[in-house]
Amino acid sequence: EVQLQASGGGLVQAGGSLRLSCAASGFTFDPYAIAWFRQAPGKEREAVSCISSIDGSTFYADSVKGRFTISADSAKNRVYLQMNNLRPEDTGVYYCALDHVIITATSWRLLRYAYRGQGTLVTVSS
């Protein structure tokens, strides 16, 4: 059974940084893609970033490009989201999701990922 658990959220001032971690278990085959999503109160879910197991390709929403970096540690089965220069509009519940697909620059944000973990709250104060 695939399990995903996000952690690392918290309260930070605007301009600060946080690193989120997604611990993944129960999957054993390639290809797969792990994505980060966020949802703020009263807003729709937003795809933030994604990493592919095929070649390590990474994808970002325009709203976070240049500020967020996604990375993976396959030995630890973890995916990280380093978030720098945080803004109040980055506030939300962040969660990670996984699917066994080959993603593209277009599909990653539209895919309904098969597995999703519980989220971690990020609050950015102004």
Side-chain angles (χ1 to χ4, degrees):
E1 178 185 1
V2 176
Q3 293 188 331
L4 302 165
Q5 180 62 55
S7 61
L11 173 63
V12 64
Q13 288 188 329
S17 298
L18 284 173
R19 188 177 80 154
L20 305 184
S21 176
C22 174
S25 62
F27 64 102
T28 59
F29 61 94
D30 279 333
Y32 64 85
I34 295 181
W36 285 97
F37 289 83
R38 67 186 180 189
Q39 187 155 22
K43 295 187 178 181
E44 292 189 357
R45 183 189 72 171
E46 179 185 12
V48 176
S49 184
C50 186
I51 188 165
S52 169
S53 69
I54 296 296
D55 56 3
S57 296
T58 57
F59 305 94
Y60 298 93
D62 288 343
S63 58
V64 306
K65 277 182 183 176
R67 301 187 297 122
F68 291 13
T69 303
I70 191 170
S71 62
D73 184 337
S74 57
K76 295 182 179 180
N77 279 353
R78 284 183 178 265
V79 170
Y80 302 100
L81 186 68
Q82 177 66 44
M83 307 187 296
N84 298 328
N85 192 20
L86 283 160
R87 304 167 180 169
E89 54 263 38
D90 294 318
T91 294
V93 175
Y94 285 68
Y95 62 93
C96 50
L98 178 150
D99 206 333
H100 292 291
V101 292
I102 298 173
I103 54 169
T104 67
T106 303
S107 70
W108 75 274
R109 66 181 75 231
L110 302 175
L111 179 68
R112 291 180 64 85
Y113 291 75
Y115 307 99
R116 164 184 162 175
Q118 291 187 335
T120 184
L121 177 62
V122 172
T123 304
V124 184
S125 63
S126 58

